[in-house]
Amino acid sequence: MNRYIPPVTKNLLILNTIFFVGKFLLLMQGIDLDVVLGAFFPASPNFKWYQIISHMFMHGNFMHFVFNMFALWMFGSAVEKALGIKKYLILYFVCGLGAFVLYNLVNFYEYKKIYEVLIEQGAPLGELYSYTKLSPIEAKNITITDVKEWLNAMPSGVNVQLLFELFRGWRTPMIGASGAIYGVLVAFGMMYPNTVLMLLFPPIPMKAKFFIPIMIILELFFGFQNQPGDNVAHFAHLGGAIFGFFLVRHWLKNRYRWN
């Protein structure tokens, strides 16, 4: 078995590991890197331009990190060897940007409807904006009593649940390399469609040309389900997959040779 990991994939694995370890070391010092480097919705007061790239190196927990790095090693190595360093880098970061774009386009559509309803109901959105831009330390000092008192003071007719949804959207960052990695998955499926993959759950063999589309369909299904408690950015995954598909198709149409 060829254990060689090509340079870009290897360096991405190293960088992601450094950020993951650094996140927990800094958390012990009271610094939350998810808030600093995660990608907030552009209308949020917490959004910074560099988060468009930096969010790709942050992960929520150990399993999130492990599964992403395993996929990056398994599929990214083969794709990089086929594409070469330059095109592989373009693929990876364009798909990561595509994930950010589609995820926030969907959010814009959803938050716009919520915002308009709350405006009509006379909700104090200026106060909500102030709560949203609190630093992590300031936010921790807000007690449940404070929140309840603020919500109880809402003008009659204000939908408190919608107010909370808007707050959560402005306050919660998107993190993870999953969007970029979904683009790499799609590239692998397009270049090596007949490669047989052994699934983990259930442990059955399946060709890449069947496995990858099933993954995309599941992301689309769960994205529209929008289940409470589901904190997976399904539309970010889809964004990475879509951008990866069109980018690789463009290269194939231009008769790029996979050597």
Side-chain angles (χ1 to χ4, degrees):
M1 178 180 178
N2 187 359
R3 296 175 180 268
Y4 169 69
I5 303 177
V8 175
T9 299
K10 180 170 68 176
N11 285 315
L12 285 172
L13 289 168
I14 292 170
L15 278 173
N16 276 280
T17 302
I18 290 172
F19 275 89
F20 185 71
V21 173
K23 166 183 170 174
F24 290 99
L25 292 177
L26 289 175
L27 197 58
M28 292 187 290
Q29 306 300 318
I31 301 172
D32 189 348
L33 275 189
D34 286 348
V35 174
V36 177
L37 301 179
F40 284 91
F41 183 62
S44 168
N46 300 298
F47 174 75
K48 301 292 187 295
W49 65 267
Y50 54 79
Q51 295 169 354
I52 297 173
I53 298 294
S54 62
H55 81 274
M56 301 181 203
F57 297 96
M58 302 305 301
H59 290 87
N61 54 47
F62 182 71
M63 293 309 297
H64 185 203
F65 170 76
V66 167
F67 276 110
N68 271 355
M69 293 305 98
F70 176 75
L72 178 59
W73 164 75
M74 183 175 181
F75 299 103
S77 296
V79 173
E80 181 180 351
K81 290 172 186 176
L83 287 176
I85 290 175
K86 182 179 178 180
K87 281 188 167 64
Y88 180 65
L89 270 173
I90 292 172
L91 173 73
Y92 189 88
F93 284 103
V94 164
C95 291
L97 293 173
F100 175 84
V101 169
L102 183 61
Y103 178 74
N104 283 290
L105 282 176
V106 172
N107 281 345
F108 173 78
Y109 175 74
E110 293 179 349
Y111 296 148
K112 183 174 182 292
K113 292 189 296 183
I114 293 174
Y115 193 87
E116 289 172 349
V117 170
L118 290 172
I119 285 288
E120 291 177 1
Q121 295 176 348
L125 296 181
E127 290 182 44
L128 178 68
Y129 193 84
S130 297
Y131 270 97
T132 305
K133 68 179 180 180
L134 291 174
S135 70
I137 294 176
E138 291 171 327
K140 287 178 182 177
N141 292 329
I142 299 175
T143 66
I144 297 297
T145 302
D146 293 330
V147 175
K148 286 182 178 178
E149 288 178 355
W150 185 68
L151 293 176
N152 288 333
M154 291 296 107
S156 60
V158 172
N159 188 320
V160 175
Q161 182 60 36
L162 287 182
L163 200 65
F164 175 73
E165 286 294 325
L166 188 60
F167 171 80
R168 187 175 64 175
W170 283 352
R171 185 70 188 169
T172 306
M174 177 182 76
I175 58 174
S178 302
I181 291 171
Y182 262 78
V184 172
L185 282 173
V186 168
F188 182 90
M190 294 174 72
M191 290 187 289
Y192 305 106
N194 293 313
T195 298
V196 177
L197 305 172
M198 179 59 71
L199 308 187
L200 295 177
F201 307 106
I204 59 173
M206 183 181 295
K207 289 186 177 180
K209 63 183 177 182
F210 300 124
F211 172 69
I212 306 300
I214 288 173
M215 292 285 290
I216 303 303
I217 292 170
L218 286 174
E219 289 297 332
L220 188 62
F221 172 77
F222 288 121
F224 280 107
Q225 285 293 302
N226 196 23
Q227 292 289 340
D230 183 1
N231 59 357
V232 177
H234 298 289
F235 284 103
H237 299 172
L238 288 170
I242 291 169
F243 274 67
F245 171 79
F246 284 107
L247 188 56
V248 173
R249 192 180 73 161
H250 168 73
W251 287 332
L252 286 171
K253 278 189 172 182
N254 284 275
R255 298 181 180 179
Y256 182 84
R257 295 183 179 180
W258 316 107
N259 295 323

